[in-house]
Amino acid sequence: MNLSKVTHIFFFGIGGIGMSALARYFHAAGKKVGGYDKTRSTLTNQLELEGMDILFSEDPLLIPEEFKHASKENVLVVWTPAVPASHEGLEFFRTNRFRIMKRAQLLGMITENAKTIAIAGTHGKTTTTVLTAHLLRTAGIDCTAFLGGISGNYNTNLLLGNSIGKTAAPAKDHLVVVEADEYDRSFLWLYPVYAVVTAVDPDHLDIYGTKEEMHEAYKKFMAQVSGKIVTRQVLLNELGISKGSRHITYALDDAESDSYAENIHIADGYYFFNLIIEGKKMEQVSLGLPGRHNVENAVAAATLAAWAGASETSIRTGLQSFKGVERRFDVRVRSAEVIYIDDYGHHPAELRACISSVRELFPGKKITGIFQPHLYSRTRDFADDFARSLELLDDVILLEIYPAREGPIPGVNAQLLLDKIRKANKTIYRKNELVERLMEHDFDVLLTMGAGDIDQLVEPVEKAIRKKYKLVE
C-alpha cells in the first residue's frame, strides 16, 4: 500500500500509547486523523486539542462523514486487538470493505525502508526505548521515535525526525527508534538493523499458551535483525542461542559481559557508576533516573547510541539529563516526611525490581504499595510470583483486577492474590474509596503500581498526600 495516497486514517483504540503515537505521526504528515476509544483520558484530551476527531461510542452513525464517504483507496482503518473484533464501528468499515490493518502491521510499513532500532523485552523496554531516543537527540543525531510511554524530557510519545514529510514514510536509511511489542506477536512485523532484547520472562500466555511458544517468537524476532543485538547472556542461554559476533551482551555489573556498569553507588538518591561499552570505559557517569534496574537499562541504551555514532560526551550528558518516562519509577512527591512513586509495573519481575530499588534508595523506610492487577489470565498464571514480589512491601493494598480485553475467569480476583500474600498488613480497597482510606495509613514511602486505570488515581493520591503533609505543589 502506498501511504502517500492515504488522506484519512481512523484508529480504533486511539488512546493507547502505541496507537496515539501513530495517530500523531500521520497528523503531523497532514492526514485527517480520527479514532475511537472506550473512555476519555488525559491522552485522548491532548489528541483532541491537537485537532483529531475522537469518538467514545460504538455507534457507526457517529463516525465523521468524511471518513465514511472518502474514496476507499484514500482511507485506512487501523485497529488493535485490545478493541473487540465485534466492535460496531469496526464492523461498519469491515462490511463496507475499507482497508483495515493492525497497528503492528502499519508500524512495520512505516519502518520498512528506514534504519530501524527496535527495543523488545517483557520488561524494561519502554524506559530503554525512550532513553535511547534521548541519547540520540542529545548527540544531535536525527531520528524519529515511536515511544511506548510519555517522555519526561519531551512530554510526548512521538519524536519526529527532520526528514519526515507529507509522504508519511521516512527517507531511506533514516534512523527510527521503536518499542517492539511482543503482544500478539506484533514485533514480527519489524526488521531492525539493531535491537535490544531486555528479558523473556513468561508473559502474555493468553496469546502464546506456553513459555516455549513465547520464546520461539522472540527467537524469530531476533533472526529478523540484520545487524547486531544487545542482550543478556542469561537470555541467550534461556533461548538456546549460542553467542556469536552479532550478539553483544550487557548486564548491570557482570564484568564478563561486553557492556556493563561498575562501582555503582548512590548519592542523594541517584546512581553513579563507571560505564563500560565493549571495553571502553566512561568513569563516574550519573543517571538522572533512580532505580538499579534503570542502570541496567542505561547500559543497553548507551550501547545502541554508541553504535549510532553518539560520542562519549553526549552519552554522558544524555544519561545525566534524562528525566525518565511517565509512570516508570515516576517520583511524584519527595520530601523529608514522605515519598510517593508511581510505576507501570504489572509483571512480578517488574514489581520486584521496583520495590527492591526503593528499598535500596530509602533504607529503613516503611513502604506501602498499592497494586492493581492487570488481566485475569496474567493474575491466574503468576499469582504465586505476584505474591512473593508484593511480600517485599511492609503494607500491601490491592485493587480489583483491571480486565482490559478479557472477560472474568471464575475464582480469579484480588482476593485470590491477597490470600497468597504472607503478610499481616494487607487489604483490598475499592477504587472509589482508596484515596480517603489511604490517608488513614502511616507510611514513609508510597508506591502505586499497575498497567490498568490506576493511573487515574495518581493525581488524586498526590494531591491528598500534599494536603496531608502541607506540601507545596
Side-chain angles (χ1 to χ4, degrees):
M1 186 181 70
N2 189 342
L3 291 176
S4 65
K5 291 185 177 181
V6 174
T7 58
H8 293 69
I9 306 184
F10 197 89
F11 293 88
F12 283 93
I14 195 170
I17 197 69
M19 290 287 261
S20 58
L22 284 171
R24 282 173 159 159
Y25 177 84
F26 284 101
H27 186 261
K31 313 297 183 182
K32 180 63 179 177
V33 175
Y36 158 86
D37 215 285
K38 190 174 182 179
T39 56
R40 286 188 176 276
S41 65
T42 301
L43 193 45
T44 60
N45 291 340
Q46 291 172 341
L47 297 180
E48 287 180 315
L49 289 173
E50 291 168 22
M52 301 177 216
D53 295 322
I54 302 180
L55 309 179
F56 301 94
S57 167
E58 288 196 25
D59 189 350
L61 294 176
L62 298 178
I63 298 171
E65 294 299 313
E66 57 189 311
F67 289 94
K68 294 191 283 189
H69 297 305
S71 174
K72 288 185 174 63
E73 70 173 4
N74 301 131
V75 178
L76 176 62
V77 177
V78 186
W79 78 288
T80 167
V83 175
S86 59
H87 186 285
E88 292 180 24
L90 187 59
E91 182 60 30
F92 166 82
F93 283 113
R94 186 184 297 113
T95 301
N96 287 279
R97 299 184 180 279
F98 283 84
R99 286 178 298 182
I100 302 174
M101 67 172 57
K102 289 184 178 181
R103 178 194 66 86
Q105 184 180 358
L106 180 58
L107 185 59
M109 290 182 61
I110 292 171
T111 60
E112 187 175 14
N113 294 315
K115 187 177 180 180
T116 302
I117 296 175
I119 293 87
T122 46
H123 47 82
K125 60 180 175 288
T126 298
T127 299
T128 306
T129 304
V130 178
L131 179 51
T132 299
H134 176 62
L135 293 176
L136 296 179
R137 282 295 176 100
T138 303
I141 297 171
D142 184 34
C143 69
T144 294
F146 294 91
L147 308 175
I150 303 299
S151 162
N153 291 85
Y154 309 100
N155 195 32
T156 184
N157 56 347
L158 172 71
L159 299 179
L160 284 172
N162 297 328
S163 71
I164 304 300
K166 299 299 182 182
T167 61
K172 185 174 175 57
D173 292 333
H174 175 66
L175 202 58
V176 178
V177 180
V178 300
E179 179 170 321
D181 186 6
E182 76 275 6
Y183 175 70
D184 199 33
R185 297 177 171 82
S186 295
F187 57 1
L188 297 184
W189 290 98
L190 300 172
Y191 291 83
V193 174
Y194 300 136
V196 166
V197 180
T198 62
V200 291
D201 295 329
D203 199 4
H204 300 302
L205 299 186
D206 55 321
I207 296 295
Y208 291 104
T210 66
K211 176 183 71 174
E212 289 73 23
E213 281 298 311
M214 190 195 80
H215 285 179
E216 285 302 314
Y218 268 98
K219 289 166 72 173
K220 186 173 181 180
F221 167 74
M222 293 170 72
Q224 292 176 184
V225 179
S226 61
K228 295 187 289 187
I229 303 170
V230 187
T231 190
R232 296 184 297 136
Q233 183 61 55
V234 66
L235 187 149
L236 292 175
N237 296 342
E238 194 168 0
L239 295 181
I241 298 175
S242 299
K243 187 181 186 306
S245 58
R246 74 193 203 101
H247 298 124
I248 306 303
T249 56
Y250 80 103
L252 175 64
D253 54 5
D254 179 9
E256 296 297 315
S257 297
D258 297 310
S259 296
Y260 59 96
E262 68 174 15
N263 191 25
I264 303 169
H265 58 282
I266 299 172
D268 298 323
Y270 294 98
Y271 286 93
F272 292 79
F273 52 94
N274 296 334
L275 174 61
I276 291 86
I277 301 177
E278 297 185 82
K280 296 180 181 178
K281 180 183 289 190
M282 297 168 54
E283 295 190 352
Q284 280 302 288
V285 171
S286 65
L287 180 63
L289 181 67
R292 182 172 284 263
H293 57 295
N294 286 318
V295 175
E296 187 172 45
N297 293 334
V299 173
T303 302
L304 284 178
W307 290 351
S311 68
E312 176 179 329
T313 300
S314 68
I315 290 175
R316 183 185 295 276
T317 301
L319 292 175
Q320 185 175 28
S321 62
F322 185 52
K323 296 180 180 179
V325 186
E326 186 177 288
R327 300 218 64 231
R328 267 69 174 185
F329 212 90
D330 188 1
V331 181
R332 308 283 302 196
V333 177
R334 185 169 183 170
S335 72
E337 298 92 347
V338 64
I339 295 146
Y340 171 36
I341 300 170
D342 178 48
D343 194 81
Y344 187 74
H346 56 282
H347 185 279
E350 294 169 340
L351 300 188
R352 188 164 55 251
C354 177
I355 299 167
S356 298
S357 289
V358 171
R359 283 269 176 229
E360 185 177 26
L361 284 169
F362 308 107
K365 300 284 189 181
K366 182 180 180 182
I367 304 172
T368 294
I370 305 166
F371 176 55
Q372 182 189 46
H374 185 261
L375 296 176
Y376 294 105
S377 60
R378 183 183 283 125
T379 306
R380 175 199 62 200
D381 294 340
F382 305 114
D384 290 332
D385 293 330
F386 275 122
R388 301 296 82 78
S389 294
L390 292 168
E391 286 167 359
L392 298 174
L393 297 163
D394 295 303
D395 290 357
V396 180
I397 299 171
L398 296 181
L399 300 178
E400 265 305 338
I401 297 170
Y402 183 77
R405 56 190 177 267
E406 293 183 336
I409 297 175
V412 180
N413 50 34
Q415 188 64 48
L416 169 71
L417 191 51
L418 193 79
D419 291 343
K420 290 179 177 290
I421 296 171
R422 299 175 298 213
K423 278 281 185 187
N425 298 323
K426 58 181 181 179
T427 190
I428 298 173
Y429 287 151
R430 296 188 301 273
K431 283 188 296 184
N432 61 4
E433 67 176 341
L434 174 70
V435 177
E436 182 178 352
R437 298 292 300 273
L438 182 62
M439 293 305 104
E440 301 169 1
H441 288 251
D442 292 320
F443 49 79
D444 301 318
V445 181
L446 177 69
L447 304 178
T448 45
M449 300 170 289
D453 59 1
I454 192 172
D455 63 319
Q456 296 176 10
L457 295 172
V458 173
E459 286 192 12
V461 167
E462 180 179 343
K463 287 181 179 178
I465 290 174
R466 291 187 181 280
K467 181 178 179 180
K468 179 178 179 178
Y469 292 93
K470 298 179 174 60
L471 301 173
V472 178
E473 290 194 37

